[in-house]
Amino acid sequence: MSTILIGIAGGTGFGKTTLTRHLKEHFGPEVTVIGHDNYYKRQDGKTLEERAKVNYDHPAAFDTELLIEHLKELKEGRPIRCPVYSYVEHNRTEETREILPTKVIIVKGILIFQNPTLRDMFDIKIFVETDADVRILRRALRDVEERGRTLQSVVTQYLTTVKPMHEQYVEPSRKFADIIVLEGGRNLVALEMIMQRIRAHIDTP
Ligand SMILES: Nc1ncnc2c1ncn2[C@@H]1O[C@H](COP(=O)(O)OP(=O)(O)O)[C@@H](O)[C@H]1O
Ligand SMILES: O=c1ccn([C@@H]2O[C@H](COP(=O)(O)O)[C@@H](O)[C@H]2O)c(=O)[nH]1
């Protein structure tokens, strides 16, 4: 079985999860989705307050080596156990999730094109983009509704780590993309083209 790896990158709130969800809903078990976020390093030994202050937008926050290892395993046709991360706890949970090898693996994350070894593994690199004001508003709503945050904490985190790390690491990795998708979450033309490419690969014996 030949496997293709598709990377979906872009800053927080750009619409990576929304685009990926549409692809997963369309292809079901034929496609596997893995988040770089699942590979955030453990923050054991710190209080919740200390964990909340970690810079989660810096490359050093991720165990990218483990993700690379897991992707190699999947490409070799072996299943992996993917860590499960909690944004509410700011830590990995004790759970892991079995992921079976498929012909198409999608990896999403803010910094997946920043690490050269990981970047070079992707057959197709997609960067999703949305205006900064729209994405911070979306992130604020999402983090308050789904990730247990206060508006004040979202603003503080955005100004102290998210924005500077975006400028230093995420935005410069845009140039490595093969395709830029504007309004990622709801760009139906781009979605259809990506679906056609995935379908062509799945249908190739
Ligand atoms: N085109 C869009 N219009 C309105 N809301 C959107 C759109 N795309 C995404 N969203 C919303 O914005 C928030 C962030 O999008 P998400 O896909 O989670 O971004 P990312 O994974 O890049 O951080 C989510 O709550 C999502 O429902
Ligand atoms: O414990 C955590 C871990 C991560 N974050 C923030 O999440 C985003 C990345 O997720 P997206 O789905 O791409 O938005 C990143 O900007 C981190 O700041 C967090 O707040 N807490």
Side-chain angles (χ1 to χ4, degrees):
M1 178 175 79
S2 87
T3 300
I4 53 165
L5 285 185
I6 303 178
I8 301 188
T12 180
F14 273 32
K16 302 180 293 298
T17 306
T18 308
L19 174 64
T20 308
R21 197 174 48 240
H22 286 312
L23 295 173
K24 182 67 188 161
E25 278 167 7
H26 185 79
F27 290 103
E30 292 180 300
V31 161
T32 295
V33 175
I34 300 182
H36 196 194
D37 290 13
N38 288 99
Y39 292 80
Y40 271 119
K41 287 178 183 160
R42 299 202 71 93
Q43 301 294 337
D44 298 340
K46 295 191 178 99
T47 63
L48 180 60
E49 201 186 333
E50 286 165 342
R51 295 201 298 274
K53 288 188 185 142
V54 169
N55 181 348
Y56 293 102
D57 294 73
H58 190 280
F62 295 87
D63 185 355
T64 303
E65 291 310 310
L66 182 62
L67 172 61
I68 291 170
E69 233 176 81
H70 280 176
L71 292 176
K72 284 182 185 161
E73 289 288 314
L74 287 168
K75 281 201 88 156
E76 296 286 319
R78 288 187 288 273
I80 57 135
R81 295 213 68 92
C82 176
V84 174
Y85 191 77
S86 165
Y87 296 99
V88 176
E89 293 299 323
H90 295 285
N91 207 354
R92 261 193 218 175
T93 66
E94 294 307 318
E95 280 168 67
T96 55
R97 184 170 57 97
E98 183 178 53
I99 296 194
L100 300 174
T102 49
K103 283 180 94 174
V104 178
I105 298 170
I106 299 174
V107 183
K108 71 176 170 93
I110 54 174
L111 289 167
I112 55 172
F113 298 161
Q114 188 274 331
N115 178 301
T117 312
L118 178 59
R119 182 172 72 229
D120 288 346
M121 291 179 78
F122 294 117
D123 299 286
I124 303 173
K125 294 188 281 296
I126 300 169
F127 193 95
V128 180
E129 213 165 65
T130 300
D131 290 346
D133 53 351
V134 175
R135 72 189 184 90
I136 178 58
L137 290 171
R138 282 185 194 161
R139 172 163 171 149
L141 285 177
R142 181 198 63 190
D143 282 5
V144 170
E145 284 168 11
E146 297 170 26
R147 296 188 179 178
R149 312 292 166 79
T150 61
L151 189 55
Q152 181 58 54
S153 78
V154 174
V155 172
T156 304
Q157 186 188 21
Y158 186 77
L159 294 176
T160 55
T161 53
V162 179
K163 182 174 157 60
M165 295 300 104
H166 181 84
E167 287 166 359
Q168 193 174 344
Y169 294 109
V170 184
E171 175 61 28
S173 73
R174 174 188 191 272
K175 66 172 180 285
F176 298 111
D178 303 306
I179 303 165
I180 308 282
V181 175
L182 302 178
E183 267 304 321
R186 312 241 163 110
N187 185 334
L188 296 181
V189 175
L191 182 67
E192 210 176 290
M193 288 169 71
I194 297 165
M195 281 175 175
Q196 278 173 13
R197 178 66 185 81
I198 293 175
R199 174 51 60 202
H201 183 75
I202 291 173
D203 290 345
T204 306

